[in-house]
Amino acid sequence: MSRVEALRRFLVRRWKPIAAGAAALALLAASGGVLVAWSGLYSVAASKGHWLVIDRFLRFGMMNSVETHAPDVEPPPLDDADLIRLGAAHYYAGCAYCHGAPGLAMTPVAQHMLPAPPDLTSHVSLWTDQELFWLVKHGLKYTGMPGWPVQNRDDEVWAVVAFLRQMPDMTQQTYRDLALAEVEAEPQGGEEIARGNAPDAVSACARCHGDEAGPPKSELVPVLHGQPREMLENALRAYLSGERSSGIMQTAASGLSSDEVAELAVYYAGLEPPRRTIDTAALSGHGRELAESGDPARRIPACMSCHSESALPVYPRLAGQNARYIANRLKAWQAGQTARTDTAAIMVPIARLLTDDDIAAVSDYFSSLPQAGGAGR
Amino acid sequence: MKPPSSLPNTLPRPRSELAKLKAVWHLPSGWRTITAVNNTVVGYFYIATAFLFFLLAGILGLLIRTQLAVPENTFLSQDTYNQIFTMHGTVMMFLFAVPAVEAMGILLLPQMLGARDLPFPRLGAFAFWAYFVGGLVFFSTLFFGAAPSGGWFMYPPLTGMKFSPGIGADFWLLGIGFIEISAIAGAIEIIVGVLKTRAPGMTLTRMPVFAWTMLIFAGMIVFAFPAVILATILLELERAFGWPFFIPERGGDALLWQHLFWFFGHPEVYIIFLPAAGMVSMIVPTMAGVPLVGYRLIVVALIATGFFSFGLWVHHMFTTGIPARSLGFFSAASMAVAIPSGIQVFAWIATIASGRLKLTAASLFVLGFLFVFTLGGLTGVMVAMVPFDWQAHDTYFVVAHFHYVLFGGMVFPLFAAFYYWAPAFSRRQLSERLGKWAFWLIFIGFNTAFLPMHVTGLIGMPRRVYTYPAGLGWDTLNMVSTIGAFLVAAGVLVFLVDLVRNLRLTNTDSVGNVWNAGTLEWLPNHAFGTRSVPFVNSLYPIWSTRDLARDVERGGYFLPGTATGSRETIVTSAVNAEPQYVMRVSGPGWAHLSAAVFTAAFFLLLTAKLVIIAVACGILAIASIFIWMRQSDPAPAGKAAIGGGISLPTYMSGPMSHSWWAMVVLSLVAGALYLSYVFSYLYLWTVVPDVWPRPDSLPGLPVLAVSGLAASAVALWAADRCVRLGRRGAFIGLVAVGVVALIASLAADIWSQWHAGIRPDTSGYTAMVYANAVLQAQIVAAVFCMALFAAFRAATGRVDSLRRVAFDNLALFWLFALGQGALGLLLTHGFPRMAAAL
Amino acid sequence: MNVLDPAGPDAGRLAELSWILFIGGGAIFALVLAITFFAMQGSDRSRKRLSGNWLVWTGGIAFPVAVLTGLLVYGLLLMGAESRPAEPDLRVHVEGRQWWWRVSYEEPDGSRLESANEIRIPLGREVEFVLTSPDVIHSFWVPSLGGKLDMIPGRTNRLRLTADRPGVYRGQCAEYCGGPHALMALEVIAMPAGEFDAWRAQASSPVENAPARGGELFLATGCGSCHTVRGTSAAGTIGPDLSRLGERRQLAAARLPMSAENIARFITHGQDIKPGNLMPEFRFLTADETAAIASYLAELK
């Protein structure tokens, strides 16, 4: 008691000099730091690597930072085949170069980054789903690991996480099937390899969206076959200008010239819509009600007014569209994605009026609705 | 009490007596000033903050006027304008008007009543700091575009989640609800102060009119504010959890809010006006040099206003389609309330006639008040005429009317009060020359701004419009109003210059009684009030007692020093002001300050949905309150001689003690809150009886809950016996059992409702059932904390048969909890059965 | 729109009441000022006379009690005059919405004639306005015709008005309803009963020969999901009925004068004209397309 009391008294009596001393020390340390940086004595060379203690310390800080910042959210089901396929396709384009992939070694250039990118096949298990999500979305400062190109497409980030979870046990063949789908690069001869004329599979739209041979393999990817040319062209231009945000599509569209955009739109507009098995149950009931009449009491207009065959070609047709894609789109808008294109400005407020039941019903309805032939639009 | 035949204490006084008094009441200096609790220091802070909000909200008013100066103006965007007019009204009403008059009460009352300080100095300081922090944060939402935009009366459904999904409405509900809690804390302080700490001899009929108005003011807060607190609780529950109190398609009713809001909102106008009228009743006699004519009539009029004002809330709802029969009643009541105001106006005129009015700056502001307020009163009678109101309601005519009543009825008197009372607290008087400039600018500017608005409204301009088309005849009138508003601003600026140049606040050497006034606040003043506590023999003791100031200052009257070595004031009986005991009041401290900051943080962080940090702050707030309370209730210290042969006890419990009175008032507040709930429940039933259940879908009779309450009551009774007998261990055990039984009773009731399949978000009815549980849970939580405190005090030997305030306070609130619990069970279980039988 | 310039008997009674109140109030105000003046500046004798309690009793109690009782009785009588049990000559349902007015006339055969933001009424016939709201509280107020009455979700209020002078009377929402509350106005057109009947007879039939291309574009753009044009597949009820848009004097709840140019501006830049209104902007339409739709709508008359 008396000791504590004595200490208390001491502190009360002497707090001013103590505080002044602490402030002086802090000032000294700060100016020392400035001096070191100014002198340029510290080497920023990546070739040498960090001193072991520093390395351990930085890792320690990084691990804790990720743990602290990882969001406290329930991930979507990650064993979802559509999600994994979408994630694989993006991993192929964006991540494999540095992190390697099933059956593919990391490039020497990437291995000489500081810190060297980890081989993910063995590192994924260190992190929880939420931590992986945070890492993929935000990247890591001072390491070369980039954040996701846009910050409002959590659905895309989750796709990569879903793929990462599967990757450690994946064979090279499965990986290629998932990431490249139909665009299987043919085995190449020496000359082609020498001249570098190998097809650039990274930017091939068909990897995800399909082509004459068939519709997208992942239900999360929109069917472009037979959509109006204007709408397709507008969409690509919106990705190019950043009005539409998607880490996947903005990356994919980034190299396209204006002419290529037009050509692509013509190509997909002219494709025959895929035939689908029709779920007649989904064609009646609430989904149809909403599509044809809307719900005026809740200010929900009829979908068909803008998404039918007779509507303006700036609007997408929804008949035969993937149900999961429709639902995902609507939910992304509900979750706060902003509307920066002229057409999204119309759709977003409507999407926000829908309940989960509404979304499920209209998505099923449209995916079951037979699409009219699209050639020549 | 008979007047003493000679001075109660012999002169001269020993020199050490004054030194000791000064030491005990020593003010903390430097940055520690914020720990001060003296009514003068807190009063200065309080008034300065309220005035700051007046300036801020005034600037918002100027922005509004700038936007409306010309048609189709684009100076402010629609959303910004909607936020600004909402904030202008809200800040003026809740952050300026009510706190400003409360501040005047805290500053003036002890001086005027001859007390050394208010009975709960730390409670007053707590109320101030909570208001200061909460108010500033609330105001700053404007800078983040997160301010509410639903208008100051926040009508749902517009303010429900569907139409106001943003965070602004939550800031309003939690922020304002919280600031009202602070206002209630101040009101409790004022009621107990006015009733229990008057100087000996100051019977109720010798009490200054200002003290009367503050008493009525505080009483009205106690009954009016709970209604709006309940409304904010219900709307916040609806917004946060979807309990549909105000959503008609889910068995709620939009008008329920309006009833609750105006049951508060109309008295609110008089809550603001009455103390201002009280100030006028102090200034006029001094400036005319004669006693007030019709003192008793004025007091009756004030009390009548207080009563009437609760009976006319519907006059804000004349256009909602309420049946004509009930409108007739409220129309009559609305007109009747004009009569007490008429009494006061003519009493002031008669006072002026009986003396000779000195035309000082203060007098000018009073005359300006008479002019403006009379006009506002007359237009008030007009809008009380139901058919006229059908046209005038929600137009600029009403905007003009209430600015005449509020600016005229409150701001003019407040400026008069600044000029009048400044010499009592400042080393320099305010400048008469600048004061007159300020007056004429404000007076002319005000009438230029608001007189045309009567016409603007009658030719069709609704209020709360951010713009208007040209060519409707509104253009010129609006431009004139805008010019007037800037003239008012110029006048306020002149006043600010005067403040900067001349106001030098002091606790020791104020200019003093320059007006030759007759009331006690003009005696020589110190941090401890007057040196000795005078005996009061009339309404104007300085006029009626020769050499009163000199004898008081030399220590010839009561309690010229400190009897127990701590801060003290004399407690007297409520009606006749007979000395009863010497009360020890608390001094500076940190605990109430951190309690205020953390309470504010709790509410504001909750709004910002930072729940975990909010809860942490809430716990810190409760911990601070515990530390604060630990220092209250000092042990009895024998008898104290205050002079004149009077020896008083230094400790009191039971109905004579100040804390008992405070707990009773607090219970009245809680009771008013609960009665508002009962009203809401029954009201909703009259509107949507269909959602009330048939008896077979109700839970069974609440046997468990009732037995819990009964067990708790028995434990309370037994605990009381243990205190008398001094059995400490049994006491703690009984308190624990009793509180557990209380909690169990509530839990059993909630469980039985849940078990019967009743969910709060189903309908207005089910929401009401759970709202009852929420209200009871609040009370039970308070009882739990108080019980913890009492048990702690008992365990450390600080509760016994004499020193029993900690338990008395608990017992009073415990009894209240039992009563409310029983009433709640009767309502939620009995009423649906009764209604079904009808 | 002026309370003191009534265009019907209901507003007339209220105007009369207003004048009585203003003149009476002015007189009382002058009296109080005069007494105050005498209390300050009068001779000592007159001041002494004013200084007693009697002044408080007469001025503060007796006088107001007498005046207020008179006023109250007068007010109750006026309110009595407002409650009329007989069936009205015409019933118009008006629904206040964020931020426009749905108008629907009860036809003699029980059907409804839909319109918006403009109400035509016959002179000399009593009209009952049935006032409701599906969203937040609004208030229906046409000063030249009578007092206001709130439109409250979950409730139905009824207001009876009669016009006896032909003209166009502006009304405005008088209860703050959020966002562009300031821009929610309407017009009441009082017309001779014969003209009204003739108008009503032809208004319910669809408009023939409106420009075809604009009509097709109107449908292809999806306008029909929110708006109705009688005789076409556009049958939306979320926004105002446009069947006879070209016939109305004003656009967007009396925000703009009616013209094809203004319709076109509203289609592409409605948020500039009426910020916060619930119709999205159709900026992707070409100027040509917009003009075609606008001229189609302007021809609907």
Side-chain angles (χ1 to χ4, degrees):
Chain A
M1 177 64 204
S2 61
R3 264 196 183 169
V4 176
E5 182 60 22
L7 181 65
R8 196 187 70 84
R9 281 208 188 142
F10 173 73
L11 286 176
V12 167
R13 205 154 14 93
R14 293 302 191 90
W15 71 272
K16 278 182 191 160
I18 293 173
L25 270 178
L27 196 69
L28 204 68
S31 44
V34 171
L35 265 178
V36 169
W38 178 67
S39 69
L41 286 174
Y42 178 76
S43 163
V44 292
S47 57
K48 279 189 185 153
H50 292 297
W51 186 35
L52 186 70
V53 177
I54 296 286
D55 184 70
R56 287 292 138 84
F57 177 76
L58 291 175
R59 249 169 230 288
F60 172 74
M62 185 270 282
M63 305 282 274
N64 286 311
S65 172
V66 174
E67 201 180 315
T68 304
H69 284 92
D72 183 21
V73 291
E74 183 71 17
L78 294 177
D79 52 358
D80 176 338
D82 288 333
L83 202 61
I84 294 165
R85 182 178 284 278
L86 191 61
H90 181 75
Y91 186 89
Y92 178 90
C95 320
Y97 182 83
C98 291
H99 289 290
L104 294 169
M106 292 165 61
T107 60
V109 174
Q111 278 172 358
H112 281 85
M113 292 174 71
L114 179 72
D119 178 0
L120 288 183
T121 44
S122 57
H123 275 73
V124 166
S125 59
L126 296 177
W127 305 101
T128 66
D129 295 336
Q130 287 84 353
E131 286 164 358
L132 276 180
F133 170 83
W134 191 86
L135 280 166
V136 175
K137 181 171 178 182
H138 297 288
L140 287 171
K141 239 177 223 170
Y142 315 125
T143 65
M145 167 76 185
W148 196 256
V150 295
Q151 288 295 304
N152 58 359
R153 289 299 300 265
D154 289 358
D155 54 327
E156 296 178 338
V157 179
W158 282 117
V160 174
V161 175
F163 167 74
L164 288 176
R165 277 281 169 251
Q166 304 296 323
M167 194 176 72
D169 308 321
M170 207 172 264
T171 64
Q172 185 174 2
Q173 189 53 46
T174 321
Y175 171 66
R176 289 188 70 88
D177 285 350
L178 286 177
L180 294 173
E182 288 83 359
V183 200
E184 188 63 57
E186 294 298 315
Q188 294 154 12
E191 188 192 333
E192 276 178 316
I193 298 171
R195 290 178 188 272
N197 281 350
D200 178 11
V202 169
S203 61
C205 309
R207 283 201 298 128
C208 298
H209 290 287
D211 52 19
E212 294 99 330
K217 285 259 165 57
S218 169
E219 284 270 328
L220 290 166
V221 174
V223 178
L224 304 181
H225 303 52
Q227 288 291 345
R229 185 187 55 76
E230 282 91 332
M231 176 258 153
L232 291 169
E233 209 180 305
N234 286 348
L236 275 173
R237 297 200 193 285
Y239 283 127
L240 274 170
S241 69
E243 279 180 305
R244 274 184 85 160
S245 59
S246 160
I248 297 173
M249 276 311 296
Q250 283 181 260
T251 311
S254 62
L256 296 175
S257 69
S258 185
D259 286 349
E260 287 169 336
V261 167
E263 295 284 338
L264 269 173
V266 169
Y267 172 74
Y268 273 106
L271 289 185
E272 191 68 20
R275 298 276 162 250
R276 303 179 73 94
T277 48
I278 292 170
D279 173 8
T280 42
L283 277 177
S284 52
H286 185 48
R288 177 173 178 174
E289 175 83 27
L290 277 178
E292 292 182 351
S293 322
D295 186 348
R298 290 192 286 145
R299 297 206 331 263
I300 300 170
C303 316
M304 279 304 198
S305 305
C306 296
H307 296 293
S308 71
E309 282 304 312
S310 56
L312 292 182
V314 292
Y315 299 131
R317 308 293 180 248
L318 293 185
Q321 187 52 277
N322 279 329
R324 295 199 64 190
Y325 169 72
I326 298 177
N328 219 23
R329 212 59 238 105
L330 292 171
K331 284 183 176 161
W333 279 323
Q334 285 190 331
Q337 215 188 82
T338 45
R340 281 175 297 168
T341 62
D342 289 345
T343 40
I346 297 172
M347 193 58 215
V348 171
I350 301 171
R352 291 188 182 150
L353 295 171
L354 301 175
T355 63
D356 286 356
D357 288 346
D358 295 336
I359 290 177
V362 284
S363 309
D364 287 348
Y365 171 77
F366 277 114
S367 74
S368 299
L369 198 63
Q371 192 186 12
R377 256 196 310 253
Chain B
M1 182 179 180
K2 277 198 197 124
S5 47
S6 60
L7 287 179
N9 279 305
T10 51
L11 294 175
R13 306 298 303 161
R15 196 164 293 167
S16 63
E17 190 179 71
L18 181 60
K20 213 171 147 202
L21 189 64
K22 277 187 174 159
V24 165
W25 287 88
H26 178 71
L27 283 172
S29 58
W31 53 272
R32 280 198 188 81
T33 307
I34 60 172
T35 65
V37 296
N38 298 48
N39 74 293
T40 44
V41 179
V42 174
Y44 297 151
F45 288 165
Y46 223 141
I47 291 177
T49 309
F51 198 74
L52 172 71
F53 282 119
F54 172 71
L55 296 179
L56 290 173
I59 291 169
L60 298 184
L62 289 181
L63 292 176
I64 291 175
R65 280 316 325 163
T66 309
Q67 165 72 8
L68 294 180
V70 291
E72 302 282 0
N73 199 355
T74 52
F75 172 66
L76 296 174
S77 76
Q78 180 189 96
D79 188 49
T80 310
Y81 183 89
N82 290 347
Q83 291 186 22
I84 284 182
F85 84 70
T86 301
M87 289 299 272
H88 171 73
T90 306
V91 172
M92 280 292 188
M93 291 302 261
F94 294 104
L95 298 183
F96 161 61
V98 173
V101 285
E102 195 152 306
M104 289 301 279
I106 284 184
L107 180 64
L108 288 173
L109 280 176
Q111 265 61 19
M112 206 177 267
L113 301 174
R116 294 220 182 282
D117 206 335
L118 284 162
F120 309 102
R122 287 184 183 174
L123 184 66
F126 170 83
F128 164 71
W129 287 108
Y131 150 72
F132 178 78
V133 177
L136 283 181
V137 175
F138 177 72
F139 190 88
S140 61
T141 57
L142 205 51
F143 303 117
F144 303 99
S149 61
W152 89 275
F153 34 83
M154 292 285 289
Y155 280 177
L158 180 61
T159 50
M161 209 58 190
K162 188 168 167 196
F163 299 102
S164 299
I167 199 174
D170 301 304
F171 264 116
W172 195 98
L173 293 170
L174 288 169
I176 293 303
F178 164 66
I179 283 161
E180 288 180 343
I181 290 170
S182 125
I184 287 176
I188 293 175
E189 166 99 310
I190 285 169
I191 290 178
V192 180
V194 171
L195 287 179
K196 298 298 291 178
T197 64
R198 302 198 304 274
M202 188 188 280
T203 59
L204 281 183
T205 51
R206 289 179 198 154
M207 189 163 87
V209 175
F210 179 73
W212 269 110
T213 57
M214 286 311 294
L215 180 63
I216 297 164
F217 157 92
M220 289 172 72
I221 284 186
V222 164
F223 290 105
F225 276 37
V228 75
I229 290 178
L230 178 78
T232 55
I233 292 174
L234 297 187
L235 186 52
E236 191 52 43
L237 285 173
E238 179 183 300
R239 288 180 56 89
F241 307 111
W243 299 10
F245 296 101
F246 306 107
I247 303 174
E249 56 268 30
R250 289 169 62 197
D253 182 54
L255 282 192
L256 170 60
W257 171 273
Q258 299 192 15
H259 282 289
L260 288 173
F261 187 87
W262 291 117
F263 186 79
F264 141 82
H266 200 83
E268 163 90 343
V269 174
Y270 295 94
I271 283 173
I272 293 166
F273 163 65
L274 286 185
M279 296 172 201
V280 172
S281 288
M282 304 300 287
I283 298 169
V284 168
T286 302
M287 290 303 169
V290 288
L292 189 64
V293 174
Y295 168 81
R296 275 162 198 262
L297 271 174
I298 284 185
V299 171
V300 172
L302 291 170
I303 297 172
T305 309
F307 275 107
F308 280 139
S309 68
F310 283 95
L312 41 83
W313 76 93
V314 172
H315 94 200
H316 298 264
M317 299 165 67
F318 281 165
T319 65
T320 54
I322 288 175
R325 274 189 314 279
S326 32
L327 291 191
F329 168 79
F330 287 105
S331 177
S334 309
M335 290 183 181
V337 81
I339 296 171
S341 300
I343 292 177
Q344 294 188 70
V345 167
F346 282 99
W348 295 321
I349 295 176
T351 309
I352 291 173
S354 70
R356 186 51 103 173
L357 190 73
K358 286 198 285 276
L359 270 185
T360 59
S363 302
L364 280 179
F365 275 107
V366 166
L367 290 172
F369 151 77
L370 270 178
F371 180 97
V372 173
F373 180 72
T374 305
L375 252 179
L378 288 168
T379 54
V381 171
M382 295 180 192
V383 293
M385 290 284 288
V386 178
F388 182 79
D389 190 60
W390 287 336
Q391 286 285 23
H393 181 72
D394 269 341
T395 69
Y396 263 84
F397 187 91
V398 169
V399 176
H401 158 67
F402 68 68
H403 279 95
Y404 267 81
V405 176
L406 291 172
F407 200 105
M410 191 265 172
V411 179
F412 275 97
L414 194 65
F415 275 103
F418 286 151
Y419 278 95
Y420 176 66
W421 273 298
F425 300 96
S426 165
R427 271 184 223 111
R428 290 227 294 263
Q429 223 178 312
L430 293 182
S431 155
E432 283 290 312
R433 196 170 53 86
L434 288 176
K436 285 173 183 169
W437 268 99
F439 167 75
W440 284 111
L441 281 168
I442 294 175
F443 181 75
I444 294 170
F446 177 84
N447 286 294
T448 312
F450 292 97
L451 201 61
M453 282 186 195
H454 293 103
V455 183
T456 325
L458 289 177
I459 59 175
M461 181 154 161
R463 63 196 280 204
R464 302 170 157 194
V465 291
Y466 81 100
T467 190
Y468 54 92
L472 294 172
W474 305 348
D475 316 14
T476 316
L477 291 167
N478 271 299
M479 180 52 94
V480 170
S481 289
T482 302
I483 293 169
F486 279 92
L487 281 180
V488 173
V492 174
L493 212 60
V494 171
F495 173 73
L496 284 177
V497 170
D498 197 3
L499 283 190
V500 171
R501 285 182 49 174
N502 295 314
L503 189 72
R504 300 287 178 271
L505 292 175
T506 172
N507 264 305
T508 47
D509 50 353
S510 61
V511 193
N513 197 356
V514 292
W515 315 115
N516 188 25
T519 40
L520 296 184
E521 77 272 23
W522 294 102
L523 292 174
N525 245 306
H526 309 273
F528 41 81
T530 51
R531 165 72 199 278
S532 57
V533 179
F535 178 82
V536 174
N537 58 6
S538 80
L539 254 177
Y540 302 96
I542 297 182
W543 290 347
S544 62
T545 312
R546 211 158 54 87
D547 294 333
L548 183 69
R550 193 198 65 193
D551 291 341
V552 162
E553 181 65 2
R554 286 160 71 197
Y557 280 92
F558 298 110
L559 198 65
T562 162
T564 60
S566 51
R567 299 183 171 204
E568 308 152 333
T569 194
I570 300 175
V571 173
T572 54
S573 65
V575 177
N576 292 323
E578 303 275 356
Q580 287 179 323
Y581 67 101
V582 172
M583 161 193 178
R584 280 161 294 166
V585 297
S586 43
W590 285 102
H592 65 275
L593 196 59
S594 72
V597 172
F598 285 122
T599 318
F602 170 72
F603 279 95
L604 296 164
L605 292 168
L606 211 55
T607 316
K609 313 246 174 345
L610 299 169
V611 180
I612 296 173
I613 316 177
V615 170
C617 286
I619 292 168
L620 285 173
I622 292 176
S624 303
I625 293 172
F626 262 78
I627 296 170
W628 161 15
M629 286 301 146
R630 211 162 54 93
Q631 296 159 358
S632 66
D633 190 28
K639 291 259 180 182
I642 61 166
I646 302 172
S647 182
L648 298 176
T650 55
Y651 190 91
M652 191 60 74
S653 59
M656 239 197 256
S657 89
H658 57 284
S659 68
W660 188 88
W661 282 73
M663 278 318 290
V664 168
V665 179
L666 182 63
S667 303
L668 285 177
V669 173
L673 183 70
Y674 195 70
L675 283 182
S676 307
Y677 164 75
V678 174
F679 165 83
S680 307
Y681 180 99
L682 297 175
Y683 170 82
L684 200 59
W685 174 75
T686 65
V687 180
V688 281
D690 302 344
V691 299
W692 255 250
R694 289 195 317 277
D696 53 2
S697 53
L698 283 169
L701 287 173
V703 182
L704 260 178
V706 170
S707 12
L709 289 183
S712 186
V714 172
L716 172 59
W717 173 80
D720 181 51
R721 299 276 304 162
C722 289
V723 172
R724 284 170 209 273
L725 300 173
R727 294 169 63 176
R728 200 192 295 172
F731 168 78
I732 294 172
L734 282 165
V735 167
V737 169
V739 171
V740 167
L742 199 58
I743 295 171
S745 162
L746 174 62
D749 189 41
I750 295 174
W751 181 82
S752 76
Q753 298 284 1
W754 190 269
H755 191 66
I758 294 170
R759 299 291 179 273
D761 53 2
T762 315
S763 73
Y765 162 76
T766 61
M768 278 293 174
V769 168
Y770 284 90
N772 177 61
V774 169
L775 293 178
Q776 180 68 1
Q778 283 189 129
I779 302 292
V780 170
V783 170
F784 175 79
C785 291
M786 291 170 75
L788 212 61
F789 179 70
F792 171 75
R793 297 290 273 189
T796 52
R798 290 188 174 87
V799 175
D800 55 43
S801 58
L802 179 63
R803 190 186 187 186
R804 50 173 295 162
V805 163
F807 174 70
D808 284 352
N809 291 349
L810 166 66
L812 269 175
F813 216 57
W814 190 339
L815 263 180
F816 179 84
L818 292 172
Q820 177 175 313
L823 188 57
L825 291 175
L826 203 63
L827 187 71
T828 53
H829 291 268
F831 183 79
R833 290 182 168 85
M834 198 187 85
L838 282 177
Chain C
M1 51 194 305
N2 187 338
V3 171
L4 301 176
D5 180 20
D10 309 280
R13 278 191 295 275
L14 301 186
E16 196 179 285
L17 166 67
S18 307
W19 282 117
I20 292 174
L21 289 174
F22 295 151
I23 293 168
I28 295 173
F29 185 57
L31 192 69
V32 174
L33 287 190
I35 297 176
T36 313
F37 180 79
F38 276 110
M40 288 168 62
Q41 304 292 337
S43 66
D44 281 356
R45 232 183 66 210
S46 59
R47 282 177 47 236
K48 189 152 176 81
R49 230 182 281 149
L50 286 173
S51 66
N53 259 335
W54 73 269
L55 180 70
V56 186
W57 278 101
T58 47
I61 301 178
F63 179 70
V65 167
V67 171
L68 293 174
T69 312
L71 275 180
L72 184 66
V73 172
Y74 179 37
L76 293 177
L77 288 177
L78 274 184
M79 282 158 74
E82 295 294 323
S83 54
R84 283 157 284 190
E87 190 67 8
D89 299 317
L90 171 67
R91 198 170 269 139
V92 182
H93 297 254
V94 185
E95 191 181 65
R97 302 183 67 119
Q98 282 182 325
W99 289 270
W100 59 282
W101 316 81
R102 165 165 291 152
V103 177
S104 142
Y105 302 80
E106 269 186 24
E107 297 277 68
D109 63 358
S111 65
R112 294 283 189 87
L113 171 61
E114 297 289 330
S115 183
N117 299 332
E118 184 180 285
I119 306 172
R120 296 180 175 233
I121 58 169
L123 285 177
R125 293 197 200 154
E126 190 178 49
V127 184
E128 181 174 271
F129 294 93
V130 183
L131 307 174
T132 54
S133 162
D135 42 45
V136 303
I137 303 174
H138 305 275
S139 192
F140 180 84
W141 184 39
V142 186
S144 303
L145 296 180
K148 63 179 70 61
L149 194 55
D150 292 351
M151 309 163 113
I152 302 169
R155 290 168 184 253
T156 302
N157 279 333
R158 289 162 193 275
L159 178 69
R160 298 230 180 155
L161 298 174
T162 311
D164 53 16
R165 192 150 60 83
V168 178
Y169 304 110
R170 191 172 186 275
Q172 190 162 351
C173 177
E175 180 59 78
Y176 176 64
C177 52
H181 157 66
L183 306 179
M184 180 175 168
L186 84 165
E187 283 186 343
V188 175
I189 302 173
M191 54 207 294
E195 279 178 36
F196 174 79
D197 290 337
W199 169 78
R200 183 154 66 151
Q202 56 104 29
S204 48
S205 52
V207 175
E208 311 286 335
N209 60 37
R213 176 162 175 259
E216 280 159 23
L217 272 169
F218 179 81
L219 294 176
T221 311
C223 308
S225 63
C226 294
H227 299 285
T228 296
V229 175
R230 277 191 290 282
T232 74
S233 66
T237 53
I238 295 170
D241 183 294
L242 304 181
S243 301
R244 298 249 163 199
L245 183 67
E247 184 179 79
R248 294 183 207 148
R249 290 170 32 89
Q250 307 262 344
L251 193 63
R255 173 69 178 134
L256 291 172
M258 178 61 64
S259 72
E261 293 71 42
N262 282 342
I263 297 176
R265 265 180 71 210
F266 195 82
I267 291 173
T268 52
H269 290 78
Q271 296 299 330
D272 293 347
I273 295 164
K274 187 167 174 173
N277 89 79
L278 295 175
M279 173 163 145
E281 295 177 332
F282 292 77
R283 294 212 175 178
F284 54 81
L285 292 172
T286 62
D288 175 50
E289 288 169 333
T290 316
I293 296 175
S295 62
Y296 162 73
L297 291 172
E299 284 305 310
L300 292 175
K301 58 184 172 191

